[in-house]
Amino acid sequence: MTTTVEQPSELSPQIRDLLSALRRRIRRYVWLHGTAAAVAWLAAAFWVSLGVDWFFEPPPAARVVLLALVAAGTLAVLWFAIFRRLLVPLGDSSMAMLLERRYPEFHESLLTAVELADRPHEEDYAREMFHRTRRTAEEPLRAVRLASIFNPAPLRRMTAVAVVLVAAVAVLAVEAPQALGVWSRRTLLLAPELWPRKTRLLVEGFENGSVKVARGADLAIIAKADMRMPLVPDVVEVHSRTEDGAGTENTMSREGTADPRRDRFQEYSHTFAGILTPIEFDVLGGDAAVRNLRIQVVDSPTIVAMALECRFPAYMDRPPSEIPVVGIMQVPVGTHVAVHARANKPLVRAQIQPALDESPGSARMVKPLASDPRRLEFVIGTLDQDQTLLLSLDDADGIRSREPVRLTIMPAPDQPPDLAVQLQGIGTAITPRARLPLVGQIRDDYGLAAVWFEHAIDEQSAQKRAVATISGNVTEWQLDQALEVEGLSLTPGQKLTVNAKAVDRCDLAGGANVGTSERWLLDVVTAEQLRTMLESRELVLRQRFESIINEVVETRESLARMEFQAAASDGAAGTPGAEPGDAAAEAASPQRLLNLRTLRVQRAQQNSQKDAQEVLGTAQAFGDIRAELVNNRIDTEELKIRLEDGIAAPLRRVAEELFPELDRRLARLETRLADTAQGPEDQRAAVQQADAILLQMRQVLAKMIELEDFNQAIELLREIIAAQEQIGERTGQQQKEQLRDLLE
């Protein structure tokens, strides 16, 4: 038997119309509820934004964020309240189930009929069952009221909220259209317009809401409340914020009490002290607020480099130069000075004020260079007195330097020439035939013009003797010339004053500068008197030299007595020449014996160095005696040879060669004092060197004694000559007397 598959049976038009009507009502409910929710959200957002804008007056960026949040909220409401619900499928089964729950009298026949209508009926009994179920479902249709299926309360509540909020907006639009207009312009058009207030505050000095201050400076904020407004606040506050997020609130100080009949504004002040980082702040008072004011921190203008362009006086013959400024500057008097300065940032102008003259007319303004706004150039002029200038800088940020830059320039007067000159080979007494050698260095900072000798006899006026006229810019000149006094007609008993002088090339108003050397006062004596004085000096030097020889002998004996082997203690007391602390006396203590040797060597080193200096001084003293004999022209060839070759030269060799060799041997001995094998060898070497020194010194002493004998012979000869002259004078006198007697 063949079965035919029939198409699904269709529902009756009554059932389908009922299901379609329910579906439409559901969608209409969703639209109405979602629209009411969206309207309520927008109205609520309006009031929230109005309140936020009224109380806080946020900046445009914050208002844009608020609009974005409102738009996002609106889309969210539309999505969740309308579109997401409309996307849910509303099939016939769902609609039938909804009707079955509301009307139990269907006894699930409506849901069964809807589900069977979608299935194929292969058997006759199935078709019959479907038709019977459909007829059963059609019977209660007349009693169905679709409105009873829906709960109207949520829709009514949402609609009521939307109506109330919209009505409030309408009332605001009617009663306060100006406020609605301000809101729309500020929120929708992002206009900078502010809300009208009962209080009006002004903060001066903030162009475009910002002001620049120097780092570390103080800034006084002045807020003004308009006295013509209905409300003048008693308290005005400053709410500040730094870059790191730290915030502070401070109450501004009220400056007196303004009188509305006389004053336009009531002022309030607050000082930000020592500003180091940028600060944002708001000024709040009454219902007014001045927000988002900003203090920008910039560097204070200052000079980072300064130099003086100097053009020196012509007589100095120096090229122009640029001298960096470091502290107080000194430049030669008469120098033409210009200042070149460089600032740390672009400048607008600089005020130059003399420190000692603060009158308004004394200041001058200088503009920076157009090519480089950081650079300043101005002229001081020819410097003839101290100048102290205060430079106040105004930069492109409108900042004035906190402290003026001080520039002090002092003119250094041209100093007289410096004469480091000595009278060489001359003592305190001279003969009438002497020559006076003057040797030394003459210096001047900017050039010498002439050098001369100046001399005066007793109380007479000084006379000049030209030495040199110097051409060119010579700053150093070596003086090595002698003044011949033979032509001065000096006589014994007079006094001669001598010095050297030099003049520089200064041609300024004060004239040239003259420098002078040390002034020497010389006694004029006879040749015999000078020889006697020199012989006395020779005698003193010989006596001193003899004492030096004795010191060297003591040093030599001390080294010779130094023992490296301990002696028997029972024979120590009988040792000839034993001294307290000798090796024999300390034989029982090797360490004390070593200490004794060390002490003796160190003492010998000290004596050697001292004696060498004294011997060298003695040689120099005999050389000076020889020079005085030569310069006073009372020398003889034999005397010069005796003094130089017999005394001075050997003494210099002793001081410069023999004593240093003794020092070297003593130093080597000091390192071997504990060595009983090598120590004695070094000891003998040191003693031998001391013997060599003594031999040479005694030879020189013999020359000194020989020179003294020679001088005594010369003195005896001078006495004989003087006696002969006296006898001749007496003989002549007697002859004159006898002749007079004969004539009478």
Side-chain angles (χ1 to χ4, degrees):
M1 173 177 161
T2 303
T3 10
T4 58
V5 179
E6 295 185 0
Q7 296 295 328
S9 300
E10 294 184 358
L11 294 173
S12 63
Q14 295 88 341
I15 294 176
R16 289 196 176 278
D17 291 343
L18 180 62
L19 296 177
S20 298
L22 178 58
R23 189 178 295 111
R24 288 193 300 272
R25 278 180 172 262
I26 290 174
R27 289 195 172 105
R28 185 168 61 248
Y29 186 94
V30 169
W31 273 106
L32 291 174
H33 186 272
T35 302
V39 171
W41 161 256
L42 290 174
F46 164 78
W47 287 108
V48 170
S49 66
L50 179 64
V52 170
D53 200 54
W54 170 267
F55 287 105
F56 302 104
E57 293 184 336
R63 284 176 261 162
V64 169
V65 172
L66 185 61
L67 285 177
L69 292 175
V70 172
T74 303
L75 292 176
V77 170
L78 292 175
W79 168 255
F80 288 103
I82 298 177
F83 298 115
R84 191 183 68 166
R85 294 180 179 181
L86 292 178
L87 292 177
V88 176
L90 301 177
D92 291 343
S93 298
S94 299
M95 298 298 99
M97 185 180 295
L98 183 61
L99 290 171
E100 290 277 1
R101 290 180 179 177
R102 179 65 182 85
Y103 294 98
E105 53 266 28
F106 280 108
H107 300 291
E108 298 185 358
S109 60
L110 181 59
L111 179 60
T112 303
V114 170
E115 290 180 349
L116 291 176
D118 295 331
R119 297 178 183 177
H121 302 148
E122 299 178 354
E123 303 295 338
D124 292 339
Y125 71 87
R127 289 193 302 274
E128 181 63 27
M129 183 181 295
F130 168 72
H131 291 302
R132 183 176 298 176
T133 303
R134 185 177 61 185
R135 285 193 297 273
T136 302
E138 290 175 352
E139 291 178 0
L141 289 178
R142 295 192 244 357
V144 172
R145 298 291 181 268
L146 294 179
S148 64
I149 297 175
F150 296 91
N151 182 9
L155 178 60
R156 289 173 182 171
R157 286 196 299 270
M158 187 59 67
T159 303
V161 170
V163 169
V164 170
L165 292 175
V166 171
V169 173
V171 171
L172 177 66
V174 173
E175 297 296 330
Q178 182 181 4
L180 185 62
V182 172
W183 173 87
S184 61
R185 289 189 294 274
R186 283 182 51 82
T187 304
L188 303 180
L189 302 180
L190 302 178
E193 180 180 356
L194 298 177
W195 286 95
R197 306 286 188 182
K198 292 182 180 179
T199 301
R200 179 169 175 260
L201 290 178
L202 300 175
V203 179
E204 293 184 341
F206 285 79
E207 184 177 355
N208 298 323
S210 177
V211 69
K212 295 179 180 179
V213 299
R215 192 180 310 278
D218 300 340
L219 179 63
I221 305 298
I222 303 297
K224 294 182 176 181
D226 195 339
M227 299 292 292
R228 297 178 301 181
M229 298 298 289
L231 176 63
V232 176
D234 294 329
V235 176
V236 176
E237 294 183 343
V238 174
H239 296 185
S240 60
R241 304 167 296 280
T242 59
E243 285 185 333
D244 57 5
T248 58
E249 297 181 4
N250 296 281
T251 301
M252 301 186 74
S253 300
R254 183 165 181 154
E255 302 295 328
T257 302
D259 186 350
R261 296 169 298 179
R262 181 183 68 250
D263 302 319
R264 171 70 186 277
F265 296 102
Q266 172 65 55
E267 294 187 353
Y268 309 83
S269 67
H270 175 71
T271 299
F272 290 99
I275 303 174
L276 298 176
T277 59
I279 297 175
E280 290 187 359
F281 67 95
D282 306 325
V283 177
L284 310 175
D287 63 351
V290 181
R291 299 186 181 276
N292 302 318
L293 299 178
R294 181 174 178 82
I295 302 174
Q296 300 183 34
V297 179
V298 297
D299 291 331
S300 176
T302 187
I303 298 297
V304 296
M306 187 183 299
L308 303 181
E309 181 186 350
C310 300
R311 286 186 290 151
F312 302 101
Y315 79 89
M316 294 183 182
D317 196 20
R318 293 177 60 183
S321 64
E322 193 169 279
I323 305 173
V325 174
V326 180
I328 297 176
M329 298 298 296
Q330 278 195 338
V331 298
V333 66
T335 301
H336 185 275
V337 178
V339 179
H340 297 175
R342 180 167 58 86
N344 62 332
K345 57 194 303 189
L347 302 177
V348 175
R349 60 184 171 272
Q351 176 180 294
I352 303 173
Q353 176 81 44
L356 301 179
D357 185 3
E358 298 184 0
S359 60
S362 62
R364 57 170 168 157
M365 293 294 178
V366 176
K367 296 288 186 180
L369 299 182
S371 58
D372 187 357
R374 294 173 181 262
R375 297 188 64 85
L376 289 173
E377 293 185 0
F378 58 93
V379 176
I380 294 180
T382 301
L383 199 67
D384 55 4
Q385 60 182 355
D386 293 353
Q387 293 271 4
T388 299
L389 303 178
L390 304 178
L391 280 68
S392 299
L393 309 177
D394 295 323
D395 64 17
D397 293 325
I399 304 297
R400 169 159 285 198
S401 53
R402 297 179 62 185
E403 294 291 338
V405 178
R406 181 179 293 268
L407 172 61
T408 300
I409 309 175
M410 301 176 61
D414 192 350
Q415 298 297 325
D418 178 40
L419 286 81
V421 176
Q422 295 295 327
L423 186 60
Q424 196 173 72
I426 290 293
T428 58
I430 60 172
T431 66
R433 299 177 60 243
R435 61 186 299 272
L436 308 181
L438 279 83
V439 178
Q441 191 83 11
I442 302 176
R443 297 182 179 89
D444 187 77
D445 293 337
Y446 309 117
L448 297 164
V451 179
W452 67 90
F453 293 149
E454 193 171 84
H455 58 83
I457 302 173
D458 292 336
E459 300 298 328
Q460 299 177 13
S461 59
Q463 303 294 321
K464 292 183 178 180
R465 179 74 60 87
V467 174
T469 300
I470 304 172
S471 60
N473 189 22
V474 177
T475 58
E476 293 187 6
W477 194 76
Q478 187 68 36
L479 176 63
D480 188 4
Q481 296 194 26
L483 173 64
E484 297 289 346
V485 302
E486 189 172 1
L488 301 181
S489 301
L490 296 176
T491 58
Q494 291 182 324
K495 293 185 180 295
L496 177 66
T497 304
V498 177
N499 64 300
K501 288 191 174 183
V503 65
D504 62 15
R505 302 169 63 237
C506 179
D507 59 0
L508 299 179
N513 301 293
V514 178
T516 183
S517 69
E518 178 185 353
R519 190 184 300 270
W520 296 278
L521 179 62
L522 306 174
D523 294 322
V524 181
V525 297
T526 64
E528 290 75 14
Q529 291 174 328
L530 182 58
R531 288 192 187 98
T532 302
M533 295 169 62
L534 295 178
E535 289 169 1
S536 299
R537 285 167 55 187
E538 291 174 10
L539 179 59
V540 173
L541 289 173
R542 182 175 65 82
Q543 293 172 349
R544 177 58 189 149
F545 187 65
E546 289 175 347
S547 66
I548 297 174
I549 293 176
N550 292 333
E551 291 178 2
V552 176
V553 170
E554 292 177 1
T555 301
R556 188 264 179 204
E557 294 300 326
S558 177
L559 290 172
R561 287 196 304 269
M562 190 167 55
E563 295 289 343
F564 279 85
Q565 297 293 337
S569 59
D570 56 353
T575 302
E579 297 178 358
D582 281 357
E586 303 293 342
S589 176
Q591 181 60 42
R592 298 187 66 183
L593 180 61
L594 176 61
N595 293 341
L596 176 61
R597 290 196 294 266
T598 302
L599 179 61
R600 288 193 173 186
V601 171
Q602 292 176 350
R603 187 183 302 161
Q605 289 174 323
Q606 295 175 357
N607 293 339
S608 173
Q609 295 171 3
K610 179 178 73 69
D611 293 340
Q613 293 298 321
E614 292 183 354
V615 169
L616 188 61
T618 303
Q620 181 63 40
F622 274 97
D624 292 342
I625 291 174
R626 180 183 181 279
E628 287 193 46
L629 291 172
V630 173
N631 290 325
N632 284 281
R633 292 187 169 93
I634 57 174
D635 59 304
T636 63
E637 192 64 28
E638 182 180 0
L639 185 57
K640 288 192 294 183
I641 294 174
R642 285 175 181 272
L643 288 172
E644 177 61 27
D645 298 341
I647 299 176
L651 288 181
R652 284 194 292 270
R653 178 176 174 272
V654 170
E656 297 173 355
E657 297 179 14
L658 300 184
F659 272 109
E661 177 61 25
L662 176 60
D663 292 339
R664 287 189 289 271
R665 296 187 182 188
L666 290 173
R668 186 165 59 249
L669 173 61
E670 186 178 15
T671 62
R672 297 179 179 178
L673 291 176
D675 189 346
T676 58
Q678 293 296 329
E681 292 295 330
D682 293 330
Q683 177 194 14
R684 284 191 291 271
V687 172
Q688 290 174 0
Q689 184 64 21
D691 290 339
I693 293 173
L694 287 171
L695 177 61
Q696 188 69 38
M697 293 178 70
R698 284 168 177 153
Q699 290 176 356
V700 173
L701 180 60
K703 292 290 185 181
M704 292 182 183
I705 295 173
E706 182 181 344
L707 178 62
E708 183 178 352
D709 294 340
F710 176 77
N711 291 334
Q712 289 177 355
I714 295 297
E715 180 63 26
L716 180 59
L717 181 60
R718 287 200 297 266
E719 291 177 358
I720 293 173
I721 294 173
Q724 289 179 348
E725 291 177 353
Q726 290 178 0
I727 292 172
E729 290 178 357
R730 289 178 182 177
T731 302
Q733 185 66 28
Q734 290 176 358
Q735 290 175 353
K736 290 179 181 179
E737 291 177 356
Q738 291 176 358
L739 180 60
R740 188 180 304 111
D741 292 339
L742 292 175
L743 292 176
E744 291 177 353

